[in-house]
Amino acid sequence: MSSLPHYCECDLGECRTDLLPLLYEMSQIATESGDLSSIINILLRLMQRHMKVVRGMVTLYDRDSGSIVLHESFGLSPEEAGKGVYLLGEGIIGKVVATGQSIVVPCIRDEPAFLNRTGSRDCESDDANLSFICVPIMRGRQVMGTISAERLYDNAELLKLDVEVLSILATTTAQAVELYLVENVENVALEAENRRLRSALGERFKPANIIGNSKPMLEVYQLIERVVRTRTTVLILGESGVGKELVAGAIHHNSPAAKGPFVKFNCASLPESVIESELFGHEKGSFTGAIGLRKGRFEEAAGGTIFLDEVGEMSLTTQAKLLRVLQERSFERVGGNTTIHVDLRVVAATNRNLAEMVADGSFREDLYYRLNVFPITIPPLRERGSDIITLADHFVSRFSREMGIEVKRISTPALNMLQSYHWPGNVRELENVIERAMLLSEDGVIHGYHLPPSLQAPVVGDSEAPVDGLEARLGAIEYELIVEALKLHHGNMTEAAAHLGLTRRVLGLRMGKYHLNYKDYR
């Protein structure tokens, strides 16, 4: 008995008694069903909420292929998780699988064998001071995978205790892992290869200024990959604010003409009388005010790419002249007779339905087919799932640097609001929402009540109130404060009530109003 962890030794700075209900729940699931997904879900919750782990990973070992594959994790982006494939004996995780022995790295900075394969650790930040624990998942004498955790420890005894805790978790998980590997050995290897390919695709073809790894965006990256090697005309379709200009830039900067100019022109920004001069240039004296020769955007883009945004706003007269450029790659300046030939790629974009415009006669059919050689449709933000949170975190980080405002995170209720909203203005609207919330934040956290009224969903239990009414706004603030307190104190109602300055009874009544259950925050 002396070798068992002393969960109640709170003099270590942290108490581990909160682990016991989840350990029991894990053992029940392992005994009754052996469902690996449910067991790992509890395991990761336990590590994240009760052990203050920054990053947690569960890897599985496929003996046939010799690969050690990251199966589930938290604290890693999909890109980073996709890189989590190791060989036997490679790095800390590979050594644990090879030897069947736990390895503890008190400080990542001082361990040369630490690979940082996922690329999730910043060697210049506090990440380098984290400790790394890796324990084997064993069934008999066979190693089937590992559980690893990263966090900052200031107590060697607590570090030792958590190694023992993770070893118990590995033992509880072992039977379900064994069953999973027997039934899914081919799927494990296939999943590892798919993750590797997705990661390679993202690294190679996703430019730094496009954020997102959702399935619709991966399909866009694949289309970019197909077209960058040629000079084919591209038509980018999508709602306003989805980032069509970023995709045009990605096509140019990944193409053989990347060293050439990338010229952008918004076809809706100027009146028809000057668009022709802007696009094709003019000769001296060709019209009043033409005091000298001026090159147009097509000449400036020679050897590179011209991006024609809002091409659906062009007049029929300008469309006819654009058609000739697409067909012959030649034109004359306004007031001139000399034919100018250009070698460039044309990328056009619009949020209009050009097929409908062709049908009603407001867009030339022949120009439509010339532009629509290789269409790429950018999905609206509401169809991009997890990209909403990824983008929100990106904007928080960017505005923190630009504004000098330290905002560490977005609260859970605020995240729920962001994910539930339909985003008619797409990425541009999300960027504006985050910028506004950053200015309102006072405690380093973006709360739900910092978001615009349009994102404020009716408070649970009070759905009759107007969304933008005073009661709904006050209710949203109260709801968020209660959720944050429960989350902070891991569902302990006594501590949450004290944190909010309420009695336990009053907190219970408020929770009932919003249908909150303290068990959901344990």
Side-chain angles (χ1 to χ4, degrees), residues 462-499:
D462 192 19
S463 58
E464 296 300 319
V467 175
D468 57 351
L470 177 62
E471 290 299 322
R473 297 294 305 279
L474 292 174
I477 295 172
E478 181 180 55
Y479 171 80
E480 176 156 1
L481 291 173
I482 292 172
V483 168
E484 285 292 288
L486 289 170
K487 188 176 178 182
L488 179 65
H489 297 286
H490 308 300
N492 187 313
M493 286 187 61
T494 302
E495 293 180 4
H499 178 86

Side-chain angles (χ1 to χ4, degrees), residues 95-229:
K95 289 180 181 178
V96 170
V97 174
T99 63
Q101 300 294 319
S102 299
I103 293 179
V104 178
V105 179
C107 183
I108 289 173
R109 185 194 305 275
D110 302 328
E111 178 51 63
F114 190 81
L115 296 179
N116 191 20
R117 172 62 52 78
T118 62
S120 58
R121 294 91 181 171
D122 184 354
C123 296
E124 301 301 322
S125 70
D126 292 339
D127 281 356
N129 297 318
L130 296 175
S131 299
F132 184 80
I133 305 170
C134 187
V135 302
I137 301 172
M138 300 186 68
R139 187 75 167 161
R141 295 184 178 182
Q142 289 191 343
V143 180
M144 295 172 295
T146 69
I147 300 174
S148 55
E150 292 177 48
R151 64 156 287 184
L152 189 65
Y153 287 93
D154 55 8
N155 187 305
E157 288 299 315
L158 182 62
L159 177 60
K160 180 181 177 182
L161 172 62
D162 280 353
V163 174
E164 296 177 329
V165 170
L166 289 181
S167 297
I168 291 176
L169 296 175
T171 301
T172 308
T173 309
Q175 181 179 347
V177 171
E178 182 182 39
L179 290 172
Y180 180 86
L181 287 173
V182 169
E183 296 173 359
N184 299 276
V185 63
E186 292 184 2
N187 291 339
V188 170
L190 182 61
E191 183 179 352
E193 180 63 10
N194 286 340
R195 286 185 178 181
R196 185 190 66 78
L197 292 173
R198 283 198 300 269
S199 176
L201 176 67
E203 286 183 348
R204 185 176 176 188
F205 295 105
K206 190 187 79 171
N209 58 348
I210 296 184
I211 307 299
N213 290 288
S214 59
K215 187 173 182 291
M217 288 307 295
L218 289 177
E219 292 172 357
V220 170
Y221 302 151
Q222 288 176 328
L223 291 175
I224 293 173
E225 175 194 357
R226 297 275 184 176
V227 79
V228 292
R229 294 185 292 267

Side-chain angles (χ1 to χ4, degrees), residues 13-74:
E14 296 176 23
C15 183
R16 289 288 178 260
T17 54
D18 287 343
L19 300 174
L20 297 177
L22 282 176
L23 282 173
Y24 177 74
E25 189 177 345
M26 279 184 64
S27 65
Q28 287 292 101
I29 293 175
T31 302
E32 295 172 5
S33 70
D35 179 41
L36 182 62
S37 177
S38 299
I39 294 173
I40 289 182
N41 180 264
I42 297 172
L43 167 65
L44 296 178
R45 277 168 46 205
L46 187 152
M47 293 167 65
Q48 190 170 19
R49 294 186 182 182
H50 300 284
M51 298 175 67
K52 297 183 179 180
V53 171
V54 176
R55 298 182 191 89
M57 300 188 295
V58 176
T59 64
L60 301 183
Y61 175 41
D62 175 19
R63 290 183 175 277
D64 291 341
S65 67
S67 298
I68 305 162
V69 183
L70 197 160
H71 184 67
E72 292 289 347
S73 66
F74 66 84

Side-chain angles (χ1 to χ4, degrees), residues 203-279:
E203 286 183 348
R204 185 176 176 188
F205 295 105
K206 190 187 79 171
N209 58 348
I210 296 184
I211 307 299
N213 290 288
S214 59
K215 187 173 182 291
M217 288 307 295
L218 289 177
E219 292 172 357
V220 170
Y221 302 151
Q222 288 176 328
L223 291 175
I224 293 173
E225 175 194 357
R226 297 275 184 176
V227 79
V228 292
R229 294 185 292 267
T230 69
R231 292 217 168 190
T232 301
T233 300
V234 179
L235 178 62
I236 304 174
L237 304 169
E239 297 176 7
S240 179
V242 294
K244 296 187 286 293
E245 184 177 324
L246 296 181
V247 173
I251 292 170
H252 170 73
H253 293 298
N254 286 282
S255 73
K259 293 183 179 179
F262 178 52
V263 176
K264 295 173 277 188
F265 181 74
N266 190 312
C267 302
S269 63
L270 294 172
E272 181 185 350
S273 58
V274 297
I275 282 184
E276 184 179 351
S277 174
E278 284 291 321
L279 287 176

Side-chain angles (χ1 to χ4, degrees), residues 340-404:
I340 299 167
H341 298 274
V342 288
D343 181 20
L344 48 68
R345 183 210 291 273
V346 176
V347 178
T350 183
N351 59 7
R352 304 279 298 272
N353 189 322
L354 294 186
E356 290 183 358
M357 293 179 68
V358 168
D360 64 27
S362 58
F363 199 87
R364 292 180 62 105
E365 184 176 17
D366 47 5
L367 176 59
Y368 171 66
Y369 289 120
R370 279 289 178 182
L371 289 174
N372 198 36
V373 178
F374 194 90
I376 298 178
T377 301
I378 313 302
L381 185 56
R382 60 184 172 274
E383 295 178 5
R384 291 174 55 180
S386 60
D387 285 353
I388 294 173
I389 303 306
T390 305
L391 281 161
D393 288 337
H394 166 74
F395 290 135
V396 167
S397 176
R398 197 187 87 193
F399 287 129
S400 291
R401 293 192 304 269
E402 293 178 358
M403 298 177 177

Side-chain angles (χ1 to χ4, degrees), residues 283 331-340:
E283 298 287 349
F331 58 91
E332 290 83 32
R333 298 191 189 103
V334 175
N337 297 316
T338 303
T339 300
I340 299 167

